[in-house]
Amino acid sequence: GAVVSQHPSWVICKSGTSVKIECRSLDFQATTMFWYRQFPKQSLMLMATSNEGSKATYEQGVEKDKFLINHASLTLSTLTVTSAHPEDSSFYICSAQGTHTDTQYFGPGTRLTVL
Amino acid sequence: EDQVTQSPEALRLQEGESSSLNCSYTVSGLRGLFWYRQDPGKGPEFLFTLYSAGEEKEKERLKATLTKKESFLHITAPKPEDSATYLCAVQNSGGSNYKLTFGKGTLLTVNP
């Protein structure tokens, strides 16, 4: 149980384009989903927290207009990187948390490379 | 501000050589302390949650313990497949936000 998927697993795009990453909880309902980014050999940095049907809460320093988060259902959240630039290249990981639990289950991650 | 410090940064063991990883934390109120395992290029895999000092949890060759200031992840007779980065994270009991604050991790390499 507690399986989280992400799609795509990797993506390469040109500078200035937008990229959408999907995060799905496959066998449970996720009332809260989190988006992290991870640079090589560094730990996970929380970008934002989203609750189903509500606006996402962004961490300090994260541009909400650049990283658009939608949590439209209890099993799906999306992260759209708008007007991507090479400095946005990173490993993006989502996690999902169900009701009556405090444990976050992580997806496999999405490797974004912006050329 | 919540802080998590893990040591050592990297640890090399021979197969069968037991050891411990340390996670020191500072948090205004602890809701839970979490251990995850992360393999290269993958998302973290949940291992344990500890809630109060004195609590211990075990899974195969791993045992996690918790005090008021730190947690240890004990690895008994490790195997090469235990090689991974082990991440520690704390969850603050304040507010309704369940966000995790992660340490930088310990990279464990177990040689056959």
Side-chain angles (χ1 to χ4, degrees):
Chain A
V3 179
V4 178
S5 69
Q6 276 185 247
H7 178 80
S9 55
W10 59 271
V11 57
I12 302 173
C13 69
K14 293 183 179 180
S15 185
T17 62
S18 294
V19 174
K20 180 184 284 188
I21 303 170
E22 291 187 351
C23 176
R24 293 181 185 272
S25 56
L26 299 185
D27 54 0
F28 67 103
Q29 293 188 326
T31 50
T32 308
M33 285 185 168
F34 304 81
W35 287 95
Y36 297 81
R37 64 188 299 181
Q38 185 176 35
F39 292 106
K41 298 188 178 181
Q42 293 190 26
S43 194
L44 283 77
M45 296 298 296
L46 179 66
M47 298 175 66
T49 303
S50 72
N51 292 296
E52 185 263 340
S54 302
K55 288 185 177 180
T57 301
Y58 291 80
E59 293 299 299
Q60 191 172 6
V62 177
E63 299 175 59
K64 58 181 66 176
D65 293 331
K66 181 169 188 61
F67 298 99
L68 301 179
I69 292 171
N70 185 295
H71 191 166
S73 77
L74 286 172
T75 59
L76 173 64
S77 176
T78 60
L79 168 67
T80 301
V81 183
T82 62
S83 186
H85 288 95
E87 57 266 30
D88 298 323
S89 298
S90 188
F91 191 51
Y92 292 87
I93 313 174
C94 72
S95 70
Q97 181 177 315
T99 53
H100 310 301
T101 177
D102 49 21
T103 300
Q104 293 181 29
Y105 295 93
F106 285 82
T110 297
R111 174 74 59 192
L112 170 64
T113 302
V114 184
L115 301 177
Chain B
E1 184 180 341
D2 302 337
Q3 289 190 335
V4 178
T5 303
Q6 292 188 245
S7 61
E9 291 185 10
L11 180 63
R12 285 186 175 273
L13 300 173
Q14 288 298 122
E15 185 172 2
E17 179 186 2
S18 302
S19 188
S20 297
L21 313 182
N22 177 264
C23 171
S24 298
Y25 65 91
T26 303
V27 62
S28 55
L30 181 69
R31 171 180 276 137
L33 184 141
F34 298 77
W35 282 98
Y36 289 86
R37 167 194 171 126
Q38 186 176 25
D39 292 305
K42 297 188 177 180
E45 174 189 346
F46 171 70
L47 294 174
F48 304 109
T49 310
L50 301 167
Y51 294 101
S52 57
E55 188 175 1
E56 298 183 354
K57 287 193 176 174
E58 288 189 65
K59 179 181 180 181
E60 295 181 354
R61 295 177 293 281
L62 301 176
K63 183 170 86 171
T65 62
L66 180 66
T67 73
K68 289 187 178 179
K69 294 183 178 181
E70 57 190 357
S71 177
F72 291 95
L73 184 65
H74 306 278
I75 303 176
T76 302
K79 298 182 178 181
E81 53 261 43
D82 294 323
S83 297
T85 295
Y86 290 85
L87 298 169
C88 172
V90 295
Q91 197 173 62
N92 198 305
S93 60
S96 60
N97 193 328
Y98 284 79
K99 71 177 187 179
L100 294 173
T101 300
F102 279 89
K104 293 184 177 180
T106 293
L107 174 61
L108 175 66
T109 304
V110 182
N111 296 313

